[in-house]
Amino acid sequence: MSFRAKVFLSITGTVVLAVWIVAGVVSTTVTKSFERREAQRTATLVSQFRREFDRRGADVVRRIEAIANSDAVLRIGVNLSDTAQYYSEAQTLAREQSLDFLELVAPDGSIISSAEWPARFGYKENWLTQPVDWKAQGIFLRLEALADRPALGLITVRTVKAGDGLLYIAGGQRLDKDFLDSLPATEGLRLQLFTDFEFMPAVAAPLIQEVARQPREITRTTSDATTTAIPLFGRDRQLMAVLLVENSRAELASLKNYIQSTALIVGFAGVLLALALSFWTASRVTRPLRQLASSVREVSGGKWDTRAAIESRDEVGQLAQDFNRMTEQLVEQRDRMIQAERVAAWRELARRLAHELKNPLFPLQITIENLQRARQVSPEQFDEVFRESTSTLLAELDHLKTIVGRFSDFAKMPAPQVEPMDLNQIVNDVVKLFEAQINAPGRPRVETTLHLADNLSLVSADPDQIRRALRNLVLNALDAMPQGGTLAIRTQNLDGKVALEVSDSGEGLTPEECERLFTPYYTTKQHGTGLGLAIVQSVVSDHKGTISVQSEPGKGTTFRIELKA
């Protein structure tokens, strides 16, 4: 992936991630804020319920005390011997004080008069005759028995002296839907009161049953609403009812949907903006880098005088300046290296020429001195010495001619005349050329093995130059095996190439010798110009091929040539 694409994707990804994070943070913040508001609204409503409960309770206490102090109740307390005449008295008193429940009970617990259920005249209310300070008891919740079904009421009890006993006045008001409706209405909140724990709505049943099992305040939250169940207790901590406060989450759901849709729209717009911005930024930021990369490729391709354009003063501009400074130094170092290599090459050439020419010049000098001495000392033997000396002179001059010819051949290597050729045929021709030398009497035995690939691909090459290179490799291998050994030549097809290997079982070379092996005028032999392998490398290079050497001391040497098929 290009640097430009990375910048493009990183900017786009950053914008998308930022929009996603902002949307998530906003949604989370709104949810927490809404939940805090829900809790506050629920607490406020419950507080209003409790205040209304206390207000109604105080009102009930006041009304019951008014009844307890009325003349009608005092008359009943005086005349308990004939209670039948007071059968409907409770209904009258209840209407006067706007009470839903009112019972007048004799000291023995018998109902004298009942406003909510007159037919219960004479029934026992034993719970009233318990030793309780009813005035200190205050207001409490109680399920009152009615003709159809029990009803929850805010009840209080007062007593009046009646002979040797007490007359009980128990009454109060209903705690029902009308009571809940009297509370201030709050949008999204709903109050429900449940006294029958067996017949309940399916939605609320699990929560109410859990409160019935373990009476305590419980809150449950669903996707639609947050519901708080509050237990309501009567005397002796008996569970009388459960108050449900349901807080709708429809507003939150609507708000979250709005945030999500807005985030989606903003995110889509942000992505489009990010695409345009990142494309523009990536193009602007990476343009000098692309130009610098192009300059680097030109330098690697050999154009050392390439200079990068400096378009800014930032890090990229500084990098371009450093690059230009580097190429200037490279050019200077290259020129110095070329000059040094030229001087070293001329020095090496002069040393080699001096070494090669010194050997035949010394016999020439000795021969001429012998001729001069023979002419002066023994003229009668001069003719014989002259014949021997001229033969020596001609031999050494021929040697000089050979040396000069080798240097001349290396200096003027001709361009290859390529044509399709069979490398196996070249190998067979070269091996036949060396058969006489390999099998010469008195020479240590050298075994030649050929491993030539069938259906070897043709190569486009100069047959004469390839033949010359192979001759030099074979001659080099024979020279490396003065005690005899094995000469192996292999050919094989590669992927679009043809490989030629020449191996010997000689003494091998050290890594240092392998590194300098193809240097002109370098040789590991006592007698040699050091041009044989340099000529091989030159031929292979002219054919756009490669040559390598593998060798270890004591394990022989293998030269490998690869040419394009």
Side-chain angles (χ1 to χ4, degrees):
M1 182 181 293
S2 66
F3 180 71
R4 180 179 179 180
K6 291 179 180 178
V7 172
F8 177 78
L9 292 178
S10 62
I11 295 176
T12 303
T14 301
V15 173
V16 173
L17 181 61
V19 172
W20 181 78
I21 291 175
V22 170
V25 170
V26 171
S27 179
T28 302
T29 304
V30 168
T31 300
K32 291 183 177 180
S33 176
F34 190 87
E35 289 175 349
R36 286 195 298 269
R37 193 187 71 167
E38 280 184 339
Q40 293 173 355
R41 292 172 65 190
T42 300
T44 300
L45 187 60
V46 172
S47 177
Q48 292 173 349
F49 173 84
R50 296 190 186 282
R51 286 198 299 271
E52 183 65 15
F53 184 91
D54 294 340
R55 189 189 69 78
R56 292 283 186 94
D59 186 58
V60 167
V61 169
R62 181 178 58 80
R63 296 175 185 272
I64 293 297
E65 287 181 347
I67 293 174
N69 296 325
S70 65
D71 294 337
V73 170
L74 293 177
R75 286 196 302 271
I76 296 173
V78 172
N79 189 16
L80 288 178
S81 59
D82 184 13
T83 57
Q85 60 179 322
Y86 304 116
Y87 176 81
S88 61
E89 193 65 35
Q91 292 177 317
T92 303
L93 293 173
R95 282 194 300 270
E96 291 175 355
Q97 296 295 331
S98 300
L99 296 176
D100 298 316
F101 308 106
L102 181 62
E103 286 183 339
L104 304 178
V105 180
D108 62 352
S110 300
I111 297 175
I112 299 173
S113 178
S114 174
E116 62 269 22
W117 194 356
R120 296 187 71 225
F121 172 80
Y123 279 61
K124 293 286 188 180
E125 291 283 15
N126 294 325
W127 63 277
L128 287 172
T129 60
Q130 297 175 0
V132 177
D133 184 356
W134 290 110
K135 188 171 184 178
Q137 182 73 38
I139 196 77
F140 58 89
L141 289 175
R142 175 177 169 79
L143 284 175
E144 292 292 337
L146 300 178
D148 50 356
R149 61 177 182 176
L152 184 64
L154 283 171
I155 305 299
T156 189
V157 178
R158 289 294 181 267
T159 58
V160 175
K161 190 71 174 178
D164 295 333
L166 295 175
L167 176 65
Y168 298 95
I169 301 95
Q173 293 181 341
R174 286 177 179 266
L175 188 64
D176 54 9
K177 186 176 182 302
D178 293 336
F179 176 86
L180 300 180
D181 291 341
S182 67
L183 299 176
T186 304
E187 184 178 359
L189 286 177
R190 185 175 66 165
L191 285 177
Q192 292 177 282
L193 191 64
F194 294 92
T195 57
D196 190 344
F197 300 150
E198 294 183 0
F199 300 98
M200 298 169 292
V203 176
L207 184 58
I208 295 176
Q209 290 172 355
E210 184 175 353
V211 174
R213 287 193 300 270
Q214 297 181 350
R216 69 188 191 283
E217 183 175 317
I218 300 175
T219 300
R220 293 288 182 266
T221 300
T222 64
S223 59
D224 298 326
T226 297
T227 305
T228 300
I230 303 173
L232 300 180
F233 300 99
R235 294 177 60 248
D236 301 328
R237 295 289 297 175
Q238 293 180 352
L239 182 64
M240 294 288 101
V242 175
L243 178 67
L244 285 185
V245 183
E246 185 177 349
N247 200 334
S248 175
R249 294 172 66 91
E251 182 180 355
L252 175 62
S254 176
L255 186 58
K256 291 182 70 173
N257 289 335
Y258 174 76
I259 293 174
Q260 292 173 356
S261 60
T262 303
L264 183 62
I265 295 173
V266 173
F268 182 73
V271 169
L272 293 180
L273 178 62
L275 289 175
L277 180 62
S278 58
F279 181 80
W280 178 81
T281 304
S283 300
R284 185 175 180 83
V285 170
T286 60
R287 182 178 60 184
L289 295 178
R290 294 198 305 271
Q291 293 175 349
L292 185 59
S294 176
S295 300
V296 171
R297 286 193 295 270
E298 290 182 3
V299 171
S300 65
K303 194 175 179 181
W304 292 45
D305 57 348
T306 301
R307 295 293 181 269
I310 301 175
E311 299 180 354
S312 62
R313 297 181 179 273
D314 55 9
E315 291 82 355
V316 177
Q318 184 62 43
L319 181 61
Q321 291 180 358
D322 295 340
F323 173 80
N324 292 339
R325 192 178 303 111
M326 179 193 69
T327 54
E328 292 174 359
Q329 294 174 355
L330 287 176
V331 170
E332 294 176 359
Q333 292 178 2
R334 180 196 63 179
D335 294 340
R336 289 196 295 269
M337 289 176 61
I338 291 175
Q339 293 177 2
E341 289 177 357
R342 287 176 179 174
V343 172
W346 280 112
R347 287 178 178 174
E348 182 66 17
L349 177 60
R351 189 186 68 79
R352 285 292 178 184
L353 283 172
H355 177 76
E356 294 295 333
L357 295 177
K358 182 178 180 181
N359 290 333
L361 285 177
F362 181 73
L364 288 175
Q365 180 182 357
I366 296 299
T367 301
I368 292 174
E369 289 177 352
N370 288 338
L371 283 173
Q372 291 176 343
R373 191 180 302 108
R375 179 70 175 172
Q376 295 174 358
V377 176
S378 54
E380 66 283 358
Q381 297 179 355
F382 179 75
D383 292 340
E384 181 179 356
V385 173
F386 180 77
R387 285 192 300 272
E388 293 177 356
S389 297
T390 54
S391 297
T392 301
L393 287 172
L394 290 173
E396 293 302 327
L397 288 172
D398 188 61
H399 186 198
L400 283 173
K401 183 179 179 181
T402 301
I403 293 173
V404 173
R406 288 178 180 176
F407 279 94
S408 177
D409 289 344
F410 179 72
K412 49 178 187 178
M413 286 286 294
Q417 303 296 319
V418 298
E419 61 182 61
M421 52 161 280
D422 184 358
L423 195 57
N424 286 342
Q425 184 62 44
I426 298 295
V427 171
N428 289 325
D429 292 344
V430 172
V431 170
K432 288 181 181 179
L433 182 64
F434 282 92
E435 282 183 353
Q437 181 179 346
I438 293 174
N439 299 322
R443 178 181 176 84
R445 177 175 176 76
V446 175
E447 181 179 357
T448 303
T449 60
L450 302 181
H451 304 279
L452 306 182
D454 297 332
N455 301 320
L456 188 67
S457 301
L458 299 179
V459 295
S460 296
D462 187 325
D464 292 335
Q465 291 192 13
I466 297 299
R467 190 178 289 108
R468 181 180 181 183
L470 182 57
R471 284 201 305 267
N472 284 343
L473 289 178
V474 172
L475 184 60
N476 188 77
L478 294 176
D479 291 342
M481 298 182 292
Q483 306 301 323
T486 300
L487 170 66
I489 302 178
R490 303 176 183 84
T491 60
Q492 64 180 123
N493 284 311
L494 298 177
D495 186 13
K497 296 181 180 180
V498 172
L500 169 65
E501 290 185 354
V502 178
S503 303
D504 64 67
S505 58
E507 292 298 323
L509 302 170
T510 64
E512 293 78 11
E513 290 174 334
C514 289
E515 290 180 0
R516 301 185 58 192
L517 201 57
F518 296 104
T519 304
Y521 320 122
Y522 172 79
T523 181
T524 59
K525 306 173 187 176
Q526 292 183 353
H527 302 287
T529 61
L531 296 176
L533 292 178
I535 291 174
V536 173
Q537 186 186 44
S538 178
V539 170
V540 174
S541 177
D542 289 344
H543 285 80
K544 310 300 181 183
T546 59
I547 182 170
S548 59
V549 59
Q550 292 181 348
S551 182
E552 293 183 26
K555 295 185 179 181
T557 304
T558 297
F559 289 89
R560 180 183 178 89
I561 296 175
E562 293 183 3
L563 300 173
K564 291 183 179 180

